[in-house]
């Protein structure tokens, strides 16, 4: 990629790829420049320093995730149960391996960095709020709806930590059964 075609988004995309592949330690100007096949000088046309890049990553991830969560949980003619099943389907299997890798890397980063922790918490609050609203639409009281939303996302993210190769012949069936426990079939 020629330096003149690079923009701020090119650097951010490369930074998220580096984050997903090796954690925040891999989000370094020299490594990103090498990945993009440009000199480090190109970076400074778009960011003052690495800290500005990191802050842009955090804010961009937060904004993008919250917008996606709101869109994913919008009913658009679906029942609350159908909405929950739809959200569950978005995170299943290998739908978006880069997105899942970024999500896990963000959570790992948040374990060691207060600012990243704050951003992940904001996103999680919105996730839990939106999915709690779907469970409330099934007639659950606020505490039960929140508990179900908490379990729902615990399953989604916990699933990303399990090695599919541990039981490849049983994975899909187990996932379907877990989905039915989270959102029973008779519920509309």
């Amino acid at each position: 990629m020629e330096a003149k075609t690079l923009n701020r988004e090119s650097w951010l995309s490369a930074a998220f790829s580096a984050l997903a592949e090796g954690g925040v330690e891999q989000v370094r100007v020299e490594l990103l420049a090498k990945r993009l096949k440009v000199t480090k000088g190109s970076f400074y046309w778009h960011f003052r320093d690495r800290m500005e890049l990191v802050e842009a990553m955090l804010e961009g991830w937060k904004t993008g995730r919250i917008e996606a969560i709101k869109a994913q949980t919008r009913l658009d003619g679906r029942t609350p149960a159908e909405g929950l099943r739809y959200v569950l389907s978005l995170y299943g299997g290998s739908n978006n391996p880069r997105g899942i890798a970024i999500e896990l890397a963000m959570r790992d980063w948040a374990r060691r960095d207060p600012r990243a922790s704050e951003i992940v918490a904001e996103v999680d609050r919105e996730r839990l709020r939106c999915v709690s609203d779907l469970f409330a639409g099934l007639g659950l009281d606020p505490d039960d709806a929140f508990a179900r939303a908490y379990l729902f996302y615990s399953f989604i993210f916990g699933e990303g930590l399990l090695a599919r190769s541990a039981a490849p012949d049983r994975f899909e069936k187990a996932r379907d059964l877990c989905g039915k426990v989270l959102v029973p079939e008779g519920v509309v």
Side-chain angles (χ1 to χ4, degrees):
M1 185 177 294
E2 292 180 22
K4 64 182 174 189
T5 63
L6 284 181
N7 58 28
R8 190 174 172 92
E9 291 307 311
S10 302
W11 284 97
L12 285 166
S13 179
F16 277 113
S17 292
L19 176 72
E21 293 166 15
V24 71
E25 299 79 19
Q26 296 302 305
V27 180
R28 297 194 335 246
V29 177
E30 318 76 51
L31 297 176
L32 297 175
K34 188 174 185 177
R35 177 185 291 262
L36 292 168
K37 298 180 172 86
V38 296
T39 64
K40 288 189 327 182
S42 172
F43 172 85
Y44 295 102
W45 283 99
H46 307 289
F47 299 95
R48 276 187 314 276
D49 53 25
R50 181 181 182 271
M51 287 307 300
E52 184 180 353
L53 169 68
V54 165
E55 184 61 27
M57 289 176 70
L58 290 169
E59 286 297 324
W61 182 78
K62 178 182 80 172
T63 300
R65 292 313 311 141
I66 288 174
E67 287 173 3
I69 291 158
K70 287 179 178 179
Q72 292 165 355
T73 56
R74 197 173 305 121
L75 289 177
D76 292 333
R78 292 185 287 257
T79 66
E82 290 167 338
L84 287 162
R85 289 185 195 103
Y86 171 70
V87 173
L88 196 57
S89 75
L90 294 174
Y91 290 91
S94 57
N95 291 344
N96 183 1
R98 182 176 188 260
I100 291 168
I102 290 170
E103 180 78 38
L104 293 174
M106 288 295 297
R107 290 179 177 284
D108 184 52
W109 183 6
R111 290 176 39 235
R112 294 182 299 278
D113 181 274
R115 178 71 177 130
S117 179
E118 176 186 310
I119 294 294
V120 169
E122 284 185 62
V123 171
D124 283 350
R125 274 191 293 279
E126 191 62 24
R127 280 188 169 116
L128 291 169
R129 186 192 66 74
C130 289
V131 171
S132 290
D133 288 350
L134 291 176
F135 278 114
L138 298 176
L140 297 177
D141 69 58
D143 287 338
D144 286 342
F146 180 83
R148 288 283 182 116
Y150 190 88
L151 183 60
F152 187 88
Y153 275 111
S154 295
F155 169 72
I156 286 172
F157 293 125
E159 182 184 32
L161 299 175
L162 293 173
R164 289 175 156 238
S165 59
D169 55 326
R170 300 178 79 189
F171 185 82
E172 289 304 321
K173 184 172 183 175
R175 186 175 204 292
D176 289 343
L177 289 171
C178 289
K180 289 174 185 170
V181 168
L182 290 167
V183 188
E185 296 227 343
V187 176
V188 291

